[in-house]
Amino acid sequence: MNKIYHLSSCDTCRKIIKSLPENNLVLHDIKQNPITEAELEEMHKLAGSYEALFSKKAQLYKSMGLKDQSLTEADFKKYILEHYTFLSRPVFIIDGKIYIGNSQKNVEAVIEALS
């Protein structure tokens, strides 16, 4: 199933979703419907690491002092499951491939994958 994990309250996520061509993506708002461990495991398998899915831009990352610690894969997993803000978003899963984040390059790859 092709899916996008996003925050409906995030302007960047909304802008990206609007820019996409017609598609069959299932929208998953991670604030309204937190990701499960099974969903995170699926993302981990595709991404290769929890760190790749982790947002170091999150304000909580700085306010909790996490940027001054050396986090393990287990830590990244724990924090992503604890609070939605730690998932780098949006995360697209399209035809068994994962696209993480809102970089221009990533958004272009998603548009290409959907075309």
Side-chain angles (χ1 to χ4, degrees):
M1 173 190 325
N2 292 340
K3 209 171 205 184
I4 174 175
Y5 295 89
H6 70 105
L7 263 182
S8 60
S9 58
C10 170
D11 288 338
T12 303
C13 287
R14 284 199 304 256
K15 190 176 98 185
I16 290 170
I17 291 168
K18 261 188 187 168
S19 75
L20 299 176
E22 181 101 6
N23 63 73
N24 63 345
L25 289 173
V26 174
L27 298 177
H28 182 127
D29 185 335
I30 59 175
K31 186 174 183 180
Q32 304 299 325
N33 184 9
I35 60 171
T36 64
E37 190 164 357
E39 288 168 326
L40 185 57
E41 287 301 319
E42 179 191 6
M43 289 184 222
H44 175 259
K45 253 188 263 171
L46 295 170
S49 74
Y50 293 109
E51 185 174 8
L53 297 161
F54 189 85
S55 173
K56 292 181 179 172
K57 295 177 186 170
Q59 289 184 349
L60 263 183
Y61 178 68
K62 294 174 187 91
S63 68
M64 291 172 68
L66 300 178
K67 70 182 182 88
D68 302 320
Q69 300 174 26
S70 57
L71 300 176
T72 64
E73 279 290 287
D75 293 328
F76 289 123
K77 178 181 178 180
K78 177 182 85 133
Y79 287 120
I80 292 170
L81 288 171
E82 275 178 15
H83 202 282
Y84 66 85
T85 196
F86 288 120
L87 182 67
S88 190
R89 12 173 234 283
V91 173
F92 295 88
I93 298 178
I94 302 169
D95 299 331
K97 210 165 170 235
I98 195 164
Y99 305 85
I100 305 162
N102 59 22
S103 72
Q104 185 65 39
K105 184 179 166 201
N106 195 52
V107 173
E108 287 169 5
V110 166
I111 290 171
E112 191 174 311
L114 292 171
S115 298

